[in-house]
Amino acid sequence: MTQPIDLSAALASFERIWSPRVVATVNDYDVRVAKTKGEHVWHVHNDTDEFFLVLDGQLRIALREEAGEREVVLDRGSLFVVPRGVFHKPSSPAGASVLVVEPSGTLSVGDEHDEVPDHVDVTVGHPLAGDAR
Amino acid sequence: MTQPIDLSAALASFERIWSPRVVATVNDYDVRVAKTKGEHVWHVHNDTDEFFLVLDGQLRIALREEAGEREVVLDRGSLFVVPRGVFHKPSSPAGASVLVVEPSGTLSVGDEHDEVPDHVDVTVGHPLAGDAR
């Protein structure tokens, strides 16, 4: 990275939902952006926490915790960390743009997951100025 | 973290410039927010990259690279990663709010630095709902 990256331009460069793009790497971590709409799948990252920051819209994250299931709601400018080992399902009825920080190589559907529908991309993140929209 | 954190509320909870607050931890990394105005000091992190995202205002980062010195300008919604080993000096003539991601324990003035003026805090980040404003 020799010049700053504008998040608006990055988000305007692709359209596919639930298909993160890697906008930066920090040591062995990725900073990814994704567009969300509708439901992701229940999944878990066994070995890593996952950081979410909502850039626009609203993201909901359902969580299966020891005390039961609950959902957190993140509006624009809100952040949340899903701890490792916690099954979660992001959803976004009205759509959102999110920034995610997690170790490079982290799979978008985690280490265990429900069946992945066509609208959810199984990926470790695509290059920003990348492939199919 | 049991509930999402709103960045606007986090930023409203303190006033001190160049004095980062830890808003979240992701594995052994911190997500910090800071208010910036005027000049930081030249410093270097020998062992880690440092990620900046401008939440409001404008941040400039001067860089001492092999090819010479240059400055990158980050407006609201722009991000940049300063690579490990590169001396840099953030500045913000008009003021800014920034989000920073770096390993927990990373010192705000790096491993080597110029003399630190009073307006720059030497810290590994303060708790969010913390101490003196």
Side-chain angles (χ1 to χ4, degrees):
Chain A
M1 181 186 298
T2 57
Q3 287 296 324
I5 290 175
D6 175 64
L7 281 177
S8 298
L11 288 165
S13 73
F14 70 99
E15 291 172 9
R16 191 170 176 195
I17 58 168
W18 302 117
S19 180
R21 313 285 143 153
V22 178
V23 292
T25 58
V26 188
N27 302 324
D28 52 354
Y29 277 66
D30 284 349
V31 179
R32 304 176 186 177
V33 293
K35 292 181 175 176
T36 65
K37 190 169 175 72
E39 301 208 339
H40 201 272
V41 293
W42 281 105
H43 68 282
V44 64
H45 304 282
N46 291 324
D47 301 318
T48 182
D49 303 339
E50 192 169 36
F51 171 87
F52 294 87
L53 169 64
V54 174
L55 302 171
D56 202 13
Q58 185 187 78
L59 181 73
R60 293 164 175 267
I61 307 175
L63 302 161
R64 283 190 192 137
E65 297 176 328
E66 278 189 25
E69 192 175 309
R70 69 177 175 119
E71 187 175 61
V72 293
V73 179
L74 286 75
D75 290 309
R76 180 182 179 144
S78 283
L79 60 90
F80 190 75
V81 177
V82 176
R84 67 184 71 189
V86 173
F87 266 93
H88 57 286
K89 184 178 78 169
S91 70
S92 186
S97 298
V98 303
L99 182 145
V100 179
V101 179
E102 56 198 344
S104 300
T106 301
L107 201 59
S108 57
V109 297
D111 304 306
E112 300 171 58
H113 55 80
D114 284 353
E115 192 178 344
V116 181
D118 287 344
H119 72 275
V120 172
D121 193 12
V122 178
T123 178
V124 293
H126 299 277
L128 182 58
D131 40 16
R133 296 186 147 218
Chain B
M1 179 187 299
T2 57
Q3 287 296 325
I5 290 175
D6 175 64
L7 280 177
S8 298
L11 288 164
S13 73
F14 70 99
E15 292 172 9
R16 190 169 178 196
I17 59 168
W18 302 117
S19 180
R21 314 285 143 152
V22 179
V23 292
T25 59
V26 189
N27 302 324
D28 53 353
Y29 277 65
D30 285 350
V31 179
R32 304 176 186 177
V33 292
K35 291 181 176 177
T36 64
K37 191 169 173 73
E39 301 209 339
H40 201 272
V41 293
W42 281 105
H43 67 282
V44 63
H45 304 282
N46 291 325
D47 301 318
T48 182
D49 303 339
E50 192 170 36
F51 171 87
F52 295 87
L53 169 64
V54 174
L55 302 171
D56 202 14
Q58 185 187 80
L59 181 73
R60 293 165 174 267
I61 307 176
L63 303 162
R64 283 191 192 137
E65 297 176 328
E66 279 189 25
E69 193 175 311
R70 68 178 176 120
E71 188 176 59
V72 292
V73 179
L74 286 76
D75 291 308
R76 179 182 181 145
S78 284
L79 60 90
F80 189 75
V81 177
V82 176
R84 68 184 69 190
V86 173
F87 266 93
H88 57 286
K89 184 178 78 169
S91 70
S92 187
S97 297
V98 302
L99 182 145
V100 179
V101 178
E102 57 199 342
S104 301
T106 300
L107 203 58
S108 57
V109 297
D111 304 306
E112 301 171 57
H113 55 78
D114 285 353
E115 191 178 347
V116 180
D118 287 345
H119 72 274
V120 172
D121 192 12
V122 178
T123 178
V124 293
H126 298 278
L128 182 58
D131 40 16
R133 295 184 151 218

